[in-house]
Amino acid sequence: MTSAEFTPPSRKQRVRTLWISDVHLGTRDCQAEHLSQFLKGYHADKVYLVGDIIDGWKLRGGMYWPQAHTNVIRRLLTMAKRGTEVIYVTGNHDEFLRRYSTLILGNIQLVDEAVHITADGRHLLVIHGDQFDVITRYHRWLAFLGDSAYEFTLTLNRWLNHWRARYGYGYWSLSAYLKHKVKTAVSFISDFEEAIAHEVTKRELHGVVCGHIHHAEIRKVGEVDYLNCGDWVESCTALIEHWDGHIELYRLDDAQAKEAQLKAEMITN
């Protein structure tokens, strides 16, 4: 995917809330250009950054910070300056911020978790989700090992899509494919969803908005509304709350396909 493939709406769409997670600024696989374009297309009352926005794990090993990553930060600061409430929920890759998790700077808040009330009255826990990942909590060395393996998969993915593009094929995510096909990965996602849904039930809330596992989804887990933002590394996804409380799962691939269809219709007409 290239930034030239997607053109945002010429007018900003007014929405109630945006949720994004797992941007991983500071890594080579962060799709910062796409995120900047996405944010430019909306005016929101609230934006929740649901963890792993900055990848502190990766930055410890060496500095990688191109202009596109700065542009994302600048876009968020501009939104806050113009009245959007920006709520940064800390994650495990940006856990260095958890020591400041009561910080408020104008329209920007830093928290470990929050409760969001939708326009239709639902109370949603907003949390990154690493607290419900057994590997991250109790086997930290395995988490780092898994992160390295994931990074290797993304590197393979980058080369694979380079050659696919040369032969006229579209973008395809190897890591997303493996998540759906490898039995242990499917089991991990299911266990994560069940654990976080149990916590929501215990707190007597209606649902949860989370990230962490890079698997965007809106579904029911029992009686709990489970909403996962996904990521801006592989799938480029976000959650959007409209003014009636309806929450939509945004996918860049779908937006690009719709844009291409509209352009084709305009040419035909």
Side-chain angles (χ1 to χ4, degrees), residues 258-269:
K258 186 176 180 180
E259 183 75 13
Q261 183 181 356
L262 288 172
K263 285 182 178 178
E265 289 174 357
M266 288 175 66
I267 292 170
T268 303
N269 296 332

Side-chain angles (χ1 to χ4, degrees), residues 134-146:
V134 173
I135 292 174
T136 299
R137 288 189 66 183
Y138 301 112
H139 305 285
R140 192 171 177 81
W141 66 274
L142 272 178
F144 280 103
L145 181 63

Side-chain angles (χ1 to χ4, degrees), residues 153 157 173-181 214-215 234-235:
T153 304
N157 200 61
S173 175
L174 172 63
S175 50
Y177 172 80
L178 292 174
K179 282 180 190 176
H180 285 90
K181 294 297 181 182
H214 294 210
H215 183 68
E234 305 165 61
S235 53

Side-chain angles (χ1 to χ4, degrees), residues 196-211:
I196 206 165
H198 176 73
E199 179 66 18
V200 171
T201 301
K202 190 168 73 173
R203 297 195 194 190
E204 298 183 343
L205 300 171
H206 297 100
V208 61
V209 176
C210 59

Side-chain angles (χ1 to χ4, degrees), residues 10 18 20 36 53 57 75 81 107 121 129 134 136 148-149 155 176 180 198 204 218 221-222 231 233 238 251:
S10 56
L18 297 174
I20 60 174
S36 291
I53 305 303
W57 291 11
R75 173 57 48 187
K81 184 179 178 181
N107 277 339
V134 173
T136 299
S148 298
T155 302
H180 285 90
H198 176 73
E204 298 183 343
I218 295 179
V221 178
D231 66 277
V233 175
R251 295 183 185 275

Side-chain angles (χ1 to χ4, degrees), residues 17 25 35 71 88 138 149 156 176 198 220 247 256 259 264:
T17 314
L25 295 170
L35 178 55
N71 292 343
Y88 193 132
Y138 301 112
L156 284 179
H198 176 73
K220 284 278 191 180
I247 299 177
Q256 288 177 331
E259 183 75 13

Side-chain angles (χ1 to χ4, degrees), residues 11 69 73 80-81 109 151 186 201 218 248 256 258 264:
R11 293 183 180 179
H69 294 204
I73 300 296
K81 184 179 178 181
Q109 295 181 55
E151 186 179 335
V186 174
T201 301
I218 295 179
E248 167 195 0
Q256 288 177 331
K258 186 176 180 180

